[in-house]
Amino acid sequence: MYLALLNLKKMNKYLKLALIFVFGSTLIGITLVSCTKNETPSYDVVLREYPVQYRADLDSIDKYLNTHYIASVDADFNITFAKIPTGGTQISIRNQQNYPLQSVDVQNDIHGVNYKIYYLKLREGTNERTTAVDSIYVSYRGTLLKNTQFDYSETPVWFQLENVVAGWGEIIPLFKTGTYDTTPGPNPSTFSNFGAGVMFLPSGLAYYNQMPSSLIPPYSPLVFSFKLKSQKSRDHDGDGILSINEVNPTIPNQKPKNYDSDGDGKPNYLDVDDDGDNFMTKVENRRPYILINNVLTPNGYFPFNGAAIDNPLTPNIDERQGVPRKFTGPNNPANNLPTPLPSDFTDPTRLRRYLDPTSYPPFQ
């Protein structure tokens, strides 16, 4: 719970979405929030059952989608909603087709709930896809279902998706970042073609019974509009494999937290030995040493995937080579070890050797 002691001066600028831990039947909220001098984060005990509260939240969100309409979307994808007046002919959020309402289902076994998250995709974006374990650079606005704004930042803010309310990690990865433009003028740095959308979160995927500020009552469903400007891929375990790549390529859209290739109870993105062969992943991804002035010298690490072309300025490295699989060439008579073939470094279906418990040093 030490995260609650983060620098409050930094918290004053932005409402940092809450990080929530669950232990057994007790929910402890670690609030990273905008704090005034007279406010301190608080911790509350769950008073309502998650399935019961979810049904109430979903009913409230459904009513909102049926009784409100999109009042405006400007050129920068700032969106506003308004309530349909009595007798009004405006088309509800649910029924309008300019930005068709979509949803994803999120099974939370701890809560015992299969959550439905509604969202609008104003624009998907054109650049990089992110994951729930990466960092994002995002502008956002948060409101209650009564359209009361509780937080806003048009200036983008960096967040680690793991450290914000759970709903963000489910919706943000459905969008892509924009492109960073630098042009002459008084405002030279801009983003274009960024992903923009809106998410409607039940309280179980937001703050639940926490009250991170006086503007957010406990058990509040929340509406977040956002613009995903950029992202940074992270390497949580420092093994040289970005966490975004620590997934099973045969399972579409798998989340890093769900991939544990050696079954040791730790997902690969947090596991320094992904195949359980007692050799660290980082060691297995090391390029062979090379001779420089008759001295064996380290030559860095293989990237997850190789580049399209080899850089002629680096004669000791073939940039086209990614992390290899177990070598499949003929045995070297000198050491009786298999020799590499070019496809061992490039075959898109290869089982990279750090995931293969039968492949370990010495490789050649």
Side-chain angles (χ1 to χ4, degrees):
M1 296 188 293
Y2 61 91
L3 290 178
L5 302 178
L6 289 176
N7 192 328
L8 296 185
K9 291 182 180 179
K10 293 182 180 178
M11 295 183 192
N12 285 338
K13 192 172 182 181
Y14 304 112
L15 172 64
K16 300 287 183 76
L17 312 166
L19 170 64
I20 297 177
F21 289 118
V22 178
F23 297 96
S25 61
T26 301
L27 179 146
I28 301 176
I30 299 177
T31 51
L32 307 179
V33 300
S34 175
C35 299
T36 67
K37 293 182 179 179
N38 297 322
E39 290 179 335
T40 57
S42 62
Y43 306 95
D44 296 312
V45 178
V46 171
L47 301 176
R48 302 177 186 174
E49 295 292 331
Y50 282 105
V52 174
Q53 182 59 38
Y54 170 61
R55 288 193 291 272
D57 289 345
L58 187 59
D59 181 67
S60 297
I61 293 172
D62 280 333
K63 288 178 179 177
Y64 183 88
L65 297 173
N66 292 334
T67 59
H68 289 70
Y69 69 100
I70 299 175
S72 65
V73 180
D74 68 16
D76 202 38
F77 291 95
N78 296 303
I79 188 170
T80 59
F81 301 106
K83 189 172 183 179
I84 300 173
T86 301
T89 58
Q90 294 87 347
I91 302 175
S92 69
I93 298 171
R94 185 185 299 279
N95 292 327
Q96 57 78 35
Q97 293 301 310
N98 290 331
Y99 308 103
L101 184 67
Q102 303 181 60
S103 67
V104 294
D105 293 327
V106 178
Q107 179 61 44
N108 188 310
D109 293 331
I110 295 175
H111 295 182
V113 174
N114 185 22
Y115 288 104
K116 179 187 289 290
I117 307 178
Y118 290 106
Y119 68 98
L120 300 174
K121 187 170 285 189
L122 308 182
R123 181 170 64 187
E124 182 175 7
T126 62
N127 198 6
E128 296 179 299
R129 184 82 67 183
T130 192
T131 76
V133 296
D134 292 324
S135 296
I136 57 170
Y137 192 52
V138 61
S139 303
Y140 67 97
R141 179 175 182 253
T143 65
L144 305 177
L145 292 184
K146 57 184 180 181
N147 288 342
T148 301
Q149 178 177 296
F150 61 82
D151 195 23
Y152 172 76
S153 180
E154 180 56 30
T155 301
V157 183
W158 280 107
F159 289 123
Q160 293 181 359
L161 269 176
E162 292 170 288
N163 293 347
V164 301
V165 293
W168 278 53
E170 304 294 342
I171 299 300
I172 296 293
L174 302 177
F175 294 76
K176 296 179 182 179
T177 64
T179 52
Y180 182 67
D181 304 321
T182 55
T183 55
N187 299 301
S189 300
T190 60
F191 287 91
S192 60
N193 301 314
F194 50 80
V198 185
M199 64 182 90
F200 304 87
L201 300 183
S203 65
L205 297 178
Y207 298 107
Y208 202 52
N209 67 326
Q210 302 300 289
M211 191 174 176
S213 84
S214 60
L215 299 177
I216 306 176
Y219 305 108
S220 292
L222 302 179
V223 180
F224 286 103
S225 58
F226 58 88
K227 291 177 273 188
L228 179 59
K229 303 298 181 65
S230 186
Q231 70 97 33
K232 291 179 182 177
S233 296
R234 302 170 64 199
D235 179 6
H236 288 68
D237 52 10
D239 64 0
I241 305 297
L242 293 176
S243 299
I244 194 172
N245 292 323
E246 302 248 40
V247 293
N248 188 336
T250 66
I251 301 178
N253 302 316
Q254 187 186 45
K255 299 174 184 177
K257 68 179 182 179
N258 294 332
Y259 185 44
D260 176 12
S261 62
D262 60 1
D264 65 354
K266 287 187 288 188
N268 281 26
Y269 83 102
L270 299 176
D271 192 349
V272 297
D273 176 12
D274 290 326
D275 56 5
D277 61 2
N278 296 317
F279 288 93
M280 294 178 65
T281 294
K282 194 168 186 176
V283 171
E284 297 193 73
N285 292 341
R286 185 179 292 149
R287 289 194 184 98
Y289 282 45
I290 57 174
L291 276 175
I292 298 180
N293 297 326
N294 292 320
V295 177
L296 280 175
T297 305
N299 197 26
Y301 297 86
F302 290 107
F304 183 75
N305 286 315
I309 60 174
D310 185 23
N311 184 352
L313 300 179
T314 55
N316 294 318
I317 298 175
D318 185 347
E319 278 79 12
R320 296 169 297 180
Q321 294 181 340
V323 179
R325 64 187 168 197
K326 191 174 185 178
F327 295 152
T328 58
N331 280 13
N332 182 342
N335 56 22
N336 201 36
L337 291 173
T339 56
L341 298 178
S343 60
D344 292 336
F345 300 89
T346 59
D347 185 346
T349 65
R350 70 192 185 278
L351 177 63
R352 291 167 175 82
R353 66 190 187 190
Y354 72 91
L355 296 172
D356 183 354
T358 69
S359 180
Y360 45 79
F363 297 110
Q364 58 183 27

